[in-house]
Amino acid sequence: MNDYVEVRYNLEPCDETMTDVLAALLAEEGFESFVPDDNGLTAYVKSELYTPEINRRVVEAFPFDSVITADATTIEGQDWNAEWEKHYFRPIVVDDKCVIHSSFHTDIPECPYDIVIDPKMAFGTGHHSTTSLILRQLLSLDLKGRKVVDVGTGTGILAILAAMRGATDVTGIEIDPFAFENAVENVRTNGHPEITMKLGDASCLEGITDADLLLANINRNVITADLPAYVRAVRMGGTVILSGFYIEDVEVVRPVAESLGLALCEVTEDNRWACMKLEKNSDEASH
């Protein structure tokens, strides 16, 4: 099991917007999971990625007038399911259509789509705005018989819902080996052999040119760098759904997307987090 560093960030003053922004800054530094509260944020990062220098950079980039203090503790590899059950992960219902819960939950509401996620340390339980925004998009789309690719699949939750919604060819791509193994376990638990999991980055998209739908819930910098590969993987007229960044970042991602032949169809927002739905209408990315 991986060792992690747990960093407790206290903010004075503190509000939800501040903790959201702090989480976004930390995500760009490699942090994977975040537990906000009224006084700040507890965040987790692999031990080999953590240096105290991260805290200095984050404090300098923080756009609010708030005092931030940080306290780091190394946590040896352990049963992350128990940690999530104790501290954070609770069943979540999305639009009364989809319930997401862990195998250790017992009081589960009935919904048309029932997803079991044992998150361990992988991002994506449905609690975060970016995940729930894409879940809502999947619930609104006709996915029967479709080919779907989920880049940065995390727990595999988006790939699993796509399969439940009728997609017959689903691929999840995850760069982190530990998260990859977790996604494989979650796919097996939910009984969807039509989902293929690949360990790696956007280079795993090589050879895919006919996806009907590509999902990427990562962060702005990775998305803008990898957008050419995303577009090449999608058929003409196919859909690309992007999240993992703030509403202010839409105007950063949009020109890159448009230069590659993607047309913006819709932007949805939750707690200042954004989700972009785009359609491929030219082959600029192949040039």
Side-chain angles (χ1 to χ4, degrees):
M1 291 186 178
N2 288 338
D3 291 344
Y4 276 77
V5 173
E6 176 188 272
V7 188
R8 173 62 197 178
Y9 294 94
N10 288 314
L11 284 67
E12 179 58 45
C14 178
D15 61 29
E16 184 177 0
T17 298
M18 291 179 181
T19 55
D20 275 350
V21 170
L22 181 58
L25 292 171
L26 291 169
E28 294 184 358
E29 296 282 357
F31 281 72
E32 297 178 14
S33 299
F34 312 95
V35 183
D37 55 50
D38 292 341
N39 300 308
L41 181 76
T42 302
Y44 297 87
V45 64
K46 288 190 180 69
S47 58
E48 64 268 24
L49 299 180
Y50 178 75
T51 66
E53 180 68 13
I54 289 175
N55 299 328
R56 184 190 64 79
R57 290 196 297 266
V58 168
V59 169
E60 288 181 353
F62 196 67
F64 300 101
D65 186 15
S66 181
V67 176
I68 303 176
T69 57
D71 183 29
T73 305
T74 299
I75 304 175
E76 294 182 358
Q78 57 186 278
D79 183 352
W80 292 111
N81 284 340
E83 290 301 302
W84 277 84
E85 179 183 19
K86 181 167 57 178
H87 294 300
Y88 185 48
F89 187 33
R90 297 292 182 268
I92 182 172
V93 177
V94 180
D95 294 345
D96 294 324
K97 296 178 181 178
C98 176
V99 60
I100 301 140
H101 61 93
S102 181
S103 58
F104 47 68
H105 293 133
T106 55
D107 186 16
I108 310 302
E110 290 189 12
C111 287
Y113 304 102
D114 186 309
I115 302 177
V116 178
I117 294 292
D118 285 327
K120 297 189 177 176
M121 208 58 187
F123 177 81
T125 62
H127 285 82
H128 196 273
S129 294
T130 59
T131 308
S132 59
L133 282 166
I134 300 183
L135 288 169
R136 289 188 173 94
Q137 288 285 352
L138 293 176
L139 289 168
S140 70
L141 294 171
D142 179 7
L143 299 181
K144 291 182 180 178
R146 303 297 187 183
K147 183 171 184 175
V148 178
V149 180
D150 178 21
V151 184
T153 195
T155 59
I157 186 173
L158 300 177
I160 292 167
L161 181 59
M164 287 182 171
R165 293 275 296 150
T168 53
D169 184 341
V170 183
T171 300
I173 297 171
E174 175 56 51
I175 195 171
D176 177 75
F178 192 62
F180 169 79
E181 291 299 329
N182 181 221
V184 170
E185 292 173 7
N186 289 326
V187 166
R188 186 183 305 118
T189 298
N190 286 275
H192 282 279
E194 68 273 33
I195 301 175
T196 300
M197 286 293 168
K198 295 184 178 182
L199 177 62
D201 57 15
S203 64
C204 292
L205 293 168
E206 187 174 349
I208 301 176
T209 59
D210 59 346
D212 298 292
L213 172 64
L214 183 140
L215 314 169
N217 182 16
I218 309 179
N219 66 55
R220 188 194 72 186
N221 294 339
V222 172
I223 284 174
T224 53
D226 290 346
L227 260 172
Y230 300 169
V231 176
R232 286 192 294 268
V234 176
R235 66 168 175 80
M236 189 65 66
T239 301
V240 176
I241 295 177
L242 307 173
S243 193
F245 46 85
Y246 280 99
I247 193 71
E248 294 85 356
D249 294 321
V250 168
E251 292 309 314
V252 176
V253 177
R254 180 174 184 167
V256 179
E258 290 178 342
S259 73
L260 296 168
L262 293 177
L264 181 62
C265 302
E266 180 185 17
V267 175
T268 52
E269 178 185 356
D270 183 29
N271 291 324
R272 294 184 56 245
W273 294 95
C275 179
M276 299 174 68
K277 180 181 177 183
L278 308 106
E279 180 178 311
K280 180 176 178 179
N281 58 16
S282 75
D283 278 325
E284 297 299 325
S286 64
H287 297 164

